[in-house]
């Protein structure tokens, strides 16, 4: 692959070897200061954005500027670019783990409950035993691995480390990304700028403690192996090694398939797209993936697929389901809308830059054609299924490795062909003495050349995207953060709830919402039809008491209303604070309910049982 044309040095002088470390150290110092002076006890609708100390934003700007001037200088070792990317990951993915005393995301807590249940039950279970939660036992790879890790580390729960999982899963992506980009260029400026843009644009939030975080990293790893070891030239150089790489691929593919439902489908379309290129007509990776995928679907995953297949078939072609809004799905409030637009603009900008890179870099478009195919391959999945209205985000995520590469190419000078490089080198040898003499007489490269539009416009784009990542990624932390008081309240509930109990809540956005799911049932009334929700708002205590009356002893029926439920309901356009407060006051005033526990994060009530029951 050809390299980018040389850029003039940005700084010169005796201090050149040391200067790249200065912005990096300053940025990390500002980040550390911001961590000590940021208060997350009261988040508003802007999430972490408005809570962060101004030093954080200054540090991020310094880090981005230092990276840009470092990566542009051809004399700098790649280690400096790597150090800046690692600094970016710390500031992006470790900030929440440092600031929040408890792990984020209700879904992360749900996965912790699945692992705890797997350890308690001692094996996989069926739908007859655990209902809808049996789907996790049909794709158990991630959970079984985490259960083994929990025992190996000797910790009581994976909650001890799952707050740091976004940083861990992001680091897992670094090596395969580098391998993919090095397949198409040796220019470290393009490689590291693409890596930076990938991390900046990866705001979708699938890096949390989840099966898809690992499956996605393995997906990128499979693409790296295929692109580097299964191309036509690679096969010619070492056919005897293909068997070894096929074994490696098989292990990666099996791990993906037994861990997550969607990622194998994305992998199939990407490998199929590669087969459209003459350089990657080796069908072994694709056939291996399809065979193992079908084998798993027709055996271990068959119970879930048999029940879900009619809905999956009906959703094919329903593109509107990916963009529809309505009750329970419409962000409300200035903060929620602003962060939503920040995410859209960030993704749109990266995709637009990628399109510019494709059009502008003719040589790169030809040489990296397979990577362009990989970037475009997930698009048909947009029409295949709504995936719970999340397919649009997953498509963006799987397009990102290729899109980031071409977006980086748009920020850097044009690629030259090998013939042009040879001609330039020959002409450069003839004119070397003349240039050196002119440089000495003028005192160095002209300021216009050093500080022109090619420096500042790309830097502005890079800086804007890096800063936009924060609201896109952390703008909904009011929903995703559960204070220690909320965690304590929920744990108090499950410590006392007998087997066969029922927990009623507005929605599932609270920690440990799925704790003891093998023995305790859950009912979230905002999942019901709007007519029933309206009835609960009109007559809260009476309607809820009727809904909860079917619990048989020794089970009890509990009503839980917490800070996380309120934030989720308000910011997603369901019930507002006044309506939920009315429900809580009605339950509190009703003789049918008794207060069990209460703190600043919520309240817990139990339904009084029928005549003769313990009161």
């Amino acid at each position: 692959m050809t390299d980018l044309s040389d850029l003039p040095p940005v700084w010169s002088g005796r201090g050149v070897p040391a200067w790249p470390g200065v912005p990096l150290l300053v940025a990390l110092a500002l980040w550390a200061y911001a961590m000590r002076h940021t208060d997350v006890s009261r988040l508003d609708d802007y999430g972490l954005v408005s809570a962060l100390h101004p030093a954080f934003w200054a540090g991020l700007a310094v880090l981005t500027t230092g990276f840009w001037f470092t990566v542009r200088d051809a004399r700098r070792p790649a280690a400096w670019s790597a150090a800046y990317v690692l600094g970016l990951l710390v500031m992006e993915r470790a900030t929440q783990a440092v600031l929040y005393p408890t792990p984020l995301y209700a879904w992360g807590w749900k996965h912790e409950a699945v692992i705890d249940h797997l350890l308690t039950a001692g094996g996989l279970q069926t739908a007859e035993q655990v209902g809808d939660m049996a789907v996790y036992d049909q794709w158990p790879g991630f959970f079984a691995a985490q259960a083994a890790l929990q025992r190996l580390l000797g910790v009581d729960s994976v909650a001890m480390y799952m707050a740091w999982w976004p940083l861990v899963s992001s680091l897992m992506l670094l090596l395969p990304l580098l391998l993919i980009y090095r397949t198409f260029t040796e220019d470290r400026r393009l490689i590291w700028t693409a890596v930076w843009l990938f991390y900046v644009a990866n705001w979708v939030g699938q890096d949390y403690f989840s099966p898809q975080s690992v499956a996605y990293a393995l997906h990128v790893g499979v693409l790296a192996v295929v692109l580097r070891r299964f191309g036509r030239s690679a096969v010619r150089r070492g056919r005897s090694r293909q068997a070894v790489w096929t074994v490696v691929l098989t292990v990666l593919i099996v791990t993906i398939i037994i861990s997550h439902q969607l990622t194998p489908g994305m992998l199939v379309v990407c490998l199929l797209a590669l087969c459209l290129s003459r350089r990657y007509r080796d069908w072994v990776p694709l056939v291996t993936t399809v065979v193992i995928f079908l084998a798993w679907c027709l055996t271990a995953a068959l119970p879930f697929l048999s029940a879900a297949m009619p809905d999956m078939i009906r959703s094919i072609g329903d593109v509107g389901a990916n963009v529809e809004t309505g009750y329970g799905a419409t962000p409300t409030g200035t903060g929620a809308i602003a962060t939503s637009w920040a995410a859209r603009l960030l993704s749109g900008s990266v995709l637009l830059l990628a399109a510019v890179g494709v059009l502008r870099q003719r040589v790169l478009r030809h040489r990296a054609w397979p990577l362009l195919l990989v970037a475009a391959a997930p698009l048909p999945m947009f029409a295949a299924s709504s995936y719970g209205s999340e397919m649009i985000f997953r498509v963006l995520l799987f397009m990102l490795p290729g899109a980031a590469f071409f977006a980086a190419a748009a920020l850097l000078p044009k690629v030259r062909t090998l013939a042009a490089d040879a001609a330039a080198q020959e002409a450069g040898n003839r004119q070397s003495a003349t240039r050196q003499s002119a440089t000495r007489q003028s005192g160095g490269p002209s300021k216009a050349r050093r500080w022109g539009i090619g420096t500042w416009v790309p830097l502005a784009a890079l800086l804007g995207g890096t800063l936009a990542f924060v609201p896109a990624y952390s703008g909904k932390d009011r929903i995703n953060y559960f204070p220690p008081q909320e965690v304590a309240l929920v744990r108090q509930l499950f410590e006392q709830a007998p087997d066969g109990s029922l927990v009623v809540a507005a929605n599932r956005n609270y920690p440990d919402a799925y704790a003891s799911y093998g023995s305790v049932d859950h009912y979230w009334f905002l999942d019901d039809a709007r007519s029933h929700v309206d009835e609960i708002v009109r007559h809260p205590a009476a309607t809820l008491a009727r809904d909860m009356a079917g619990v048989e002893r020794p089970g009890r029926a509990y009503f839980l209303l917490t800070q996380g439920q309120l934030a989720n309901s308000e910011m997603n356009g369901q019930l507002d604070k006044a309506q939920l407060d009315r429900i809580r006051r009605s339950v509190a005033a009703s003789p049918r309910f008794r207060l069990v526990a209460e703190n600043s994060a919520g309240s817990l009530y139990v339904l009084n049982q029928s005549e003769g029951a313990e009161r």
Side-chain angles (χ1 to χ4, degrees):
M1 181 56 202
T2 57
D3 291 337
L4 298 176
S5 57
D6 288 338
L7 294 170
V10 180
W11 273 283
S12 60
R14 295 181 180 179
V16 168
W19 80 258
V22 175
L24 177 60
L25 292 176
V26 170
L28 292 177
L30 289 170
W31 174 78
Y33 180 85
M35 295 302 95
R36 292 178 59 86
H37 294 83
T38 296
D39 181 13
V40 296
S41 59
R42 293 188 178 182
L43 297 175
D44 59 18
D45 285 355
Y46 290 91
L48 192 58
V49 177
S50 57
L52 283 167
H53 190 276
F56 176 87
W57 301 100
L60 202 56
V62 170
L63 184 79
T64 306
T65 305
F67 166 79
W68 178 241
F69 285 115
T70 299
V71 80
R72 290 178 79 250
D73 193 335
R75 298 171 299 168
R76 299 288 156 239
W80 281 116
S81 299
Y84 272 94
V85 168
L86 293 176
L88 175 70
L89 290 181
V90 169
M91 295 185 71
E92 280 188 344
R93 315 288 171 167
T95 293
Q96 293 169 318
V98 172
L99 290 178
Y100 297 122
T102 58
L104 296 180
Y105 302 112
W107 285 96
W109 287 90
K110 179 180 182 180
H111 297 153
E112 186 265 345
V114 174
I115 295 165
D116 182 68
H117 180 78
L118 182 62
L119 289 170
T120 302
L124 305 180
Q125 295 188 308
T126 64
E128 288 76 15
Q129 295 170 297
V130 291
D132 292 342
M133 294 296 290
V135 65
Y136 294 98
D137 290 57
Q138 294 166 32
W139 278 274
F142 173 80
F143 305 106
Q146 291 298 329
L149 181 61
Q150 179 179 332
R151 284 183 171 174
L152 179 65
L153 296 176
V155 297
D156 294 333
S157 168
V158 293
M160 299 290 291
Y161 60 82
M162 70 181 187
W164 294 93
W165 197 257
L167 179 60
V168 173
S169 61
S170 296
L171 288 171
M172 291 170 58
L173 287 163
L174 184 56
L175 178 59
L177 283 174
L178 291 174
L179 291 176
I180 288 175
Y181 297 151
R182 283 181 60 84
T183 303
F184 301 104
T185 182
E186 294 181 357
D187 192 295
R188 60 167 184 76
R189 291 166 289 191
L190 178 55
I191 292 170
W192 286 106
T193 303
V195 170
W196 184 282
L197 284 175
F198 173 87
Y199 283 123
V200 163
N202 187 9
W203 60 266
V204 177
Q206 296 306 307
D207 55 357
Y208 73 104
F209 187 73
S210 62
Q212 55 265 38
S213 65
V214 176
Y216 181 66
L218 295 175
H219 165 87
V220 179
V222 169
L223 293 181
V225 173
V226 172
L227 289 170
R228 291 184 68 85
R229 299 299 178 184
F230 283 81
R232 180 178 296 178
S233 59
V235 172
R236 284 199 301 264
R237 287 196 303 267
R239 291 183 179 274
S240 60
R241 298 182 180 179
Q242 291 306 103
V244 175
W245 288 112
T246 300
V247 172
V248 172
L249 274 183
T250 302
V251 172
L252 296 176
I253 291 167
V254 168
T255 307
I256 292 172
I257 290 172
I258 67 174
S259 299
H260 194 232
Q261 301 96 327
L262 178 64
T263 306
M266 289 291 190
L267 182 59
V268 167
V269 297
C270 289
L271 294 178
L272 180 60
L274 283 178
C275 288
L276 300 178
S277 171
R278 287 182 297 176
R279 276 178 271 176
Y280 293 94
R281 285 289 170 83
D282 192 331
W283 292 83
V284 171
L286 176 61
V287 172
T288 301
T289 304
V290 171
V291 169
I292 299 174
F293 188 27
L294 289 177
W296 188 261
C297 290
L298 295 176
T299 53
L302 186 59
F304 169 80
L305 293 176
S306 299
M309 190 59 68
D311 290 336
M312 294 170 64
I313 294 175
R314 282 194 296 270
S315 68
I316 295 177
D318 186 11
V319 178
N322 282 296
V323 294
E324 68 180 3
T325 58
Y327 173 70
T330 307
T332 58
T334 305
I337 294 174
T339 55
S340 176
W341 273 105
R344 296 177 189 179
L345 291 174
L346 177 55
S347 292
S349 299
V350 171
L351 293 178
L352 180 61
L353 279 175
V356 171
V358 170
L359 294 175
R360 181 169 173 260
Q361 304 279 16
R362 182 178 62 85
V363 173
L364 194 63
R365 183 171 66 243
H366 171 70
R367 297 287 184 176
W369 170 248
L371 191 54
L372 184 60
L373 288 175
V374 168
L379 285 172
M381 298 294 287
F382 188 72
S385 172
S386 67
Y387 201 66
S389 299
E390 290 189 14
M391 185 60 77
I392 184 172
F393 306 115
R394 305 302 176 92
V395 168
L396 286 171
L397 180 63
F398 283 88
M399 291 177 65
L400 202 49
F405 181 79
F406 286 99
L411 299 179
L412 295 166
K414 285 187 177 181
V415 173
R416 298 186 303 199
T417 63
L418 293 175
D421 284 341
Q425 183 177 0
E426 182 179 352
N429 291 335
R430 292 196 303 267
Q431 301 174 4
S432 177
T434 304
R435 288 201 309 269
Q436 291 177 5
S437 176
T439 298
R440 283 194 299 268
Q441 293 175 9
S442 63
S446 69
K447 185 175 293 187
R449 190 181 178 198
R450 288 168 54 190
W451 307 100
I453 192 172
T455 298
W456 297 112
V457 172
L459 172 59
L462 200 66
L463 184 58
T466 304
L467 295 176
F469 169 85
V470 181
Y473 186 76
S474 306
K476 293 186 177 181
D477 278 7
R478 185 188 165 212
I479 292 177
N480 298 323
Y481 168 54
F482 310 113
Q485 298 90 336
E486 188 168 356
V487 175
L489 183 67
V490 177
R491 287 181 173 172
Q492 183 177 347
L493 159 63
F494 287 106
E495 285 172 0
Q496 66 175 258
D499 289 353
S501 293
L502 171 68
V503 178
V504 176
N507 52 53
R508 66 197 74 193
N509 194 59
Y510 53 94
D512 278 331
Y514 289 84
S516 304
Y517 65 80
S519 58
V520 176
D521 289 330
H522 301 80
Y523 165 54
W524 301 288
F525 62 79
L526 286 181
D527 287 348
D528 276 355
R530 184 60 194 256
S531 59
H532 187 66
V533 175
D534 289 340
E535 185 179 358
I536 292 176
V537 174
R538 287 193 300 268
H539 309 289
T543 306
L544 288 172
R546 186 174 65 248
D547 292 342
M548 300 163 64
V551 178
E552 298 181 359
R553 298 177 63 184
R556 306 298 299 271
Y558 296 90
F559 176 72
L560 177 70
L561 192 60
T562 64
Q563 175 179 311
Q565 297 173 52
L566 171 62
N568 185 277
S569 180
E570 275 197 314
M571 293 186 67
N572 284 323
Q574 297 175 314
L575 300 182
D576 58 28
K577 185 177 186 300
Q579 291 171 312
L580 288 174
D581 280 346
R582 182 174 186 275
I583 293 174
R584 183 190 58 79
R585 289 195 302 269
S586 175
V587 169
S590 172
R592 303 177 184 180
F593 292 88
R594 174 170 56 85
L595 180 66
V596 174
E598 188 175 34
N599 60 31
S600 60
S603 305
L604 174 64
Y605 297 87
V606 65
L607 179 69
N608 292 321
Q609 293 180 322
S610 58
E611 201 67 34
E614 179 182 354
R615 293 183 181 271

